[in-house]
Amino acid sequence: MHEWYGGLASFLLLNVVVGLLRVLRGPTPADRMLAAQLFGTTGVATLLLLAPTFGPALNDIALVFALLAAVTVIAFVRRSWFPVNWEGKGSHDGD
Amino acid sequence: MNAAVLYTLMGVGLFSIGLHGFLAQPHLLRKVLALNIMGSGVFAVLMATAWRGPQLPPDPVPHALVLTGIVVAVSATAFALALLRRIHTATGRASLPEDTAA
Amino acid sequence: MTVTEWCSLALTTAGAFFFFAGTVGVLRFPDVYTRLHALTKADGLGLGLIVLGLIVRTQGWTEVCQLALIWILVMVSSATACHLVARAALGTGVRLWRRPG
Amino acid sequence: MTGVGMFDVLLAVVLPVLAWWVVAGPDLFRSVVLFIVFGLLLALVWVRLRAPDVALAEAAIGAGLTGALLLDTLGRLRAEGWGTGDDQRGSDAGASGGEHPSV
């Protein structure tokens, strides 16, 4: 039973490793950030699946992971991404 | 090969990569990233020494050291980033004069 | 193995499958907006199924509440983050993908 | 989980590769995002070494707070200009150091 959960956790980790390709390729910063957010959620799932083996403390770490993803994405959108014209096209009226 | 050996090797690798980046990259933000990676390598080695097999609980002293180290690393990073901003507003570039002369 | 264990196995495996589908979607879809769509499926459904699969095998109510709380928090933060990213992408002029031809 | 499993090998191989991309990649924004992912996976290493307290600290401040600080600094640098104003493609072209395109 615990072995099966561990196997699923390894599978999710493999998903993260393959998903790194999207961070590497881009093309816009939003794509990279998006992939990072997916990794955050996958990390939450991995921790929850490891919790039966390593103890219930992992649930708390999963909670922190969930918060982390939100904080990072909001820091990205509010502080780090400016209205640059991507792909040379005219921008919308953005607020 | 047990987990301690594996993660010690990984920590040594991380430290080497971070050291290389710290010395070779001129951009200061990248130097900060490389410094953090060096620190992570040291933490990994420390945590691997604390590992005493799957049956025994690990040694708590290196855990306390690493916990302190993480906090110190974050503070040092914040300070370094503040200095980086100051350098950038003062000189208009984000690298040190020694590196830009080359 | 008991019935609850089989249920837990099936639900967690289905959740892992949705994470796989989300990763494939993020890798293969053509622009930011479609990738957001794939991402939210993995967030909501994949994590929901895994949480459900782990709730089935818990003993106490506190753990059930904790797991449900994690899921709700991830749902809320993922919805917020996706909305912010999509709006910022639209505002900075990332074009919508159209089927070529 | 006794001995060394696939989980360990995957982590121990991916983390140095990730570190190399952070240190030597062409795009600064990409390096920062990869660093956040690096912190995330490092927290999984601490979990696997049975140190949930350290993993908690790493996830909260090692990856989360540092990532937010780095993104903020990156945005500030870009707002002030990279030096030559060669920033038409956002982080892709101008991110490697403004006046120093050889980075």
Side-chain angles (χ1 to χ4, degrees):
Chain A
M1 198 63 193
H2 288 186
E3 287 77 14
W4 181 254
Y5 289 143
L8 281 182
S10 302
F11 174 69
L12 289 182
L13 190 63
L14 200 66
N15 269 340
V16 171
V17 172
V18 177
L20 278 174
L21 273 176
R22 180 47 68 198
V23 183
L24 290 182
R25 250 193 250 150
T28 67
D31 290 304
R32 305 182 202 275
M33 212 58 231
L34 220 68
Q37 202 203 338
L38 177 66
F39 298 160
T41 316
T42 316
V44 171
T46 311
L47 285 170
L48 291 181
L49 284 171
L50 290 177
T53 317
F54 288 99
L58 300 204
N59 287 344
D60 304 335
I61 308 176
L63 214 50
V64 173
F65 262 55
L67 277 175
L68 176 156
V71 167
T72 324
V73 172
I74 289 169
F76 162 69
V77 171
R78 304 293 303 177
R79 291 304 187 96
S80 177
W81 205 19
F82 286 95
V84 178
N85 278 347
W86 294 98
E87 303 162 18
K89 289 295 286 184
S91 67
H92 299 253
D93 52 348
D95 39 358
Chain B
M1 180 78 112
N2 62 13
V5 178
L6 185 71
Y7 287 117
T8 307
L9 287 177
M10 186 193 81
V12 172
L14 288 182
F15 185 86
S16 320
I17 291 168
L19 187 64
H20 167 77
F22 186 67
L23 295 178
Q25 299 287 342
H27 197 285
L28 281 173
L29 189 59
R30 220 177 267 269
K31 278 190 200 287
V32 173
L33 289 174
L35 200 63
N36 269 295
I37 285 174
M38 276 169 76
S40 303
V42 175
F43 296 157
V45 172
L46 270 173
M47 295 295 281
T49 57
W51 178 250
R52 290 190 294 202
Q55 264 73 43
L56 290 168
D59 186 4
V61 175
H63 286 191
L65 290 177
V66 171
L67 210 52
T68 317
I70 287 173
V71 178
V72 172
V74 170
S75 320
T77 304
F79 182 54
L81 290 176
L83 286 179
L84 162 59
R85 282 185 185 182
R86 189 77 192 90
I87 289 174
H88 191 257
T89 26
T91 66
R93 54 183 62 193
S95 53
L96 293 175
E98 302 91 287
D99 287 326
T100 47
Chain C
M1 298 226 310
T2 61
V3 179
T4 48
E5 285 186 332
W6 277 111
C7 282
S8 174
L9 273 191
L11 285 169
T12 46
T13 311
F17 171 75
F18 273 100
F19 272 103
F20 175 67
T23 309
V24 171
V26 166
L27 281 177
R28 295 284 303 155
F29 280 172
D31 74 351
V32 177
Y33 310 102
T34 46
R35 281 175 206 142
L36 275 169
H37 165 79
L39 172 65
T40 43
K41 297 307 156 290
D43 274 11
L45 211 50
L47 194 69
L49 284 172
I50 284 182
V51 162
L52 213 57
L54 290 170
I55 278 179
V56 167
R57 62 176 288 284
T58 51
Q59 274 88 36
W61 278 104
T62 46
E63 208 179 343
V64 173
C65 290
Q66 201 179 21
L67 287 170
L69 189 67
I70 291 171
W71 183 52
I72 291 168
L73 184 64
V74 169
M75 288 288 281
V76 169
S77 76
S78 130
T80 313
C82 285
H83 177 74
L84 282 173
V85 168
R87 201 177 61 174
L90 209 57
T92 50
V94 178
R95 276 181 301 175
L96 295 170
W97 179 77
R98 300 256 180 254
R99 189 180 298 282
Chain D
M1 276 204 189
T2 54
V4 172
M6 177 184 152
F7 199 77
D8 301 307
V9 175
L10 217 53
L11 278 176
V13 170
V14 168
L15 278 168
V17 174
L18 215 49
W20 178 253
W21 283 334
V22 169
V23 159
D27 176 4
L28 205 51
F29 181 79
R30 192 181 90 170
S31 289
V32 170
V33 173
L34 284 173
F35 183 76
I36 294 170
V37 180
F38 177 86
L40 224 95
L41 295 183
L42 203 61
L44 288 182
V45 172
W46 302 156
V47 165
R48 193 258 169 269
L49 288 173
R50 291 173 70 180
D53 44 352
V54 181
L56 198 66
E58 175 76 38
I61 54 182
L65 192 58
T66 313
L69 284 173
L70 288 167
L71 285 172
D72 190 25
T73 306
L74 205 57
R76 185 67 63 92
L77 288 188
R78 193 176 305 157
E80 290 174 358
W82 290 100
T84 57
D86 181 23
D87 197 19
Q88 296 305 310
R89 298 248 323 137
S91 66
D92 280 321
S96 51
E99 297 177 17
H100 325 294
S102 62
V103 172

